[in-house]
Amino acid sequence: MIVAHPLMLTNFFVAGINYKKSDGEMRGRFAINTDQYSKIINSAPDYGVDSFFILSTCNRTEIYGFADNPDCLTELLCSQTTGDKRTFTQLAYVKNGRDAAEHLFKVGAGLDSQILGDYEIIGQLKKAIKFSSDNGFINPFMQRLSDHVLQASKLIKNSTDLSSGSVSVSFTAVQYLKQHISSNSKHKILVIGAGKIGRNTCKNLVDYFGEADITLINRSMDRAAVLAAELDLNYASMDDLSAYLNISDIILVATSALQPLVSAKDFQGTEKKLILDLSIPYNVDPAVSALPNVTLINVDELSKATDENLQKRRSELPKALAIIRDCMADFLDWYEMHKISPVLKAVKTTLSDIYRQQLAVTKKTDKAVSYKYETKVQAVVKNMACKIKHDKNYGCHSLEAINEFMRAVAN
């Protein structure tokens, strides 16, 4: 069992790669699914990591946590990826302390996403934190930080237009279809995957192509059946995937398989097809794009599609950043109080001992007198906390608090 790291900003790091310096194929080498996450959880103590979480989406893979240095986190992450630590380090950004915390605020608000204002990221962030928390790997610092990040994201969503228009991969996919295919009801649409992105994709398809013949296939057929019943879709077994690939003219893939589920050999005819691969790592073999009459669009290409609302959302950035600054300040206030809480507790204990000694000498046992002393203790400790936060001087203010208390009880 490793010793927990002190809850200090200096021990908090984030190391990650994202779309800015790595393409989808490269990001796929470092994508983390649930099984890999579980293995990383189990081996974390071996790497000197006692509190962390991993955010793995189509845009990024990041590990946030407490460690002696960021190498501990990157080694832990790369222990379960197909990509190696050396490659990850060459592409990665590493942030520490306040910079790492501020980065998480921006990620949670969708400011660092390939699609500005992406509202799917906050659900993915909640899921990542919960997974680590359920396994005992979220300390009070990270829990409080994540609470403030979620609060900032909610405030930005409700009080700005940053999330207006096309602000998620699933929504952008359907917008792309609207721009590039006819709106008739003869389309046979296949969706592979019933996770968060797959579910949202199905909902958006129903909204815009409700008359089309839409079929859902998922590794868990029960999960596919539940979602299909909810949205009035067709569903089929993964065993029938090849048949549905051939009869469908529009295919959307949103799965988390480590290897491609769809390859060139799955297609037998030359019918015209449009395939959108929303997965990282890619779940459609790039060789499929060489097939006649097949158009394959991956998540990076999709995110670069024309977005009429982009300029409007960019104009909301100052408001969003102001909200982040306020929430970040609230978090740092909590952090400063948390740092000095042992000192305050020690002073409070000392003052309480002094007033009990005073009561013993004077032989006063009246409840009103005891309440008076306790009230003075609380007031002195509160005043001391304010001064420490301002001056960052523990020892001086500890002595001052004792003197202040002695003057107070003497009156």
Side-chain angles (χ1 to χ4, degrees), residues 372-373 376 404-411:
K372 176 184 175 182
Y373 278 111
K376 290 183 183 297
E404 181 183 346
F405 178 71
M406 296 302 294
R407 290 193 299 269
V409 298
N411 296 327

Side-chain angles (χ1 to χ4, degrees), residues 140-165:
F141 175 102
M142 294 181 71
Q143 185 60 61
R144 183 59 68 106
L145 174 59
S146 64
D147 289 344
H148 280 80
V149 168
L150 297 179
Q151 179 188 20
S153 176
K154 184 177 180 179
L155 287 171
I156 290 170
K157 181 85 165 72
N158 293 336
S159 58
T160 75
D161 288 328
L162 188 70
S163 294
S164 65

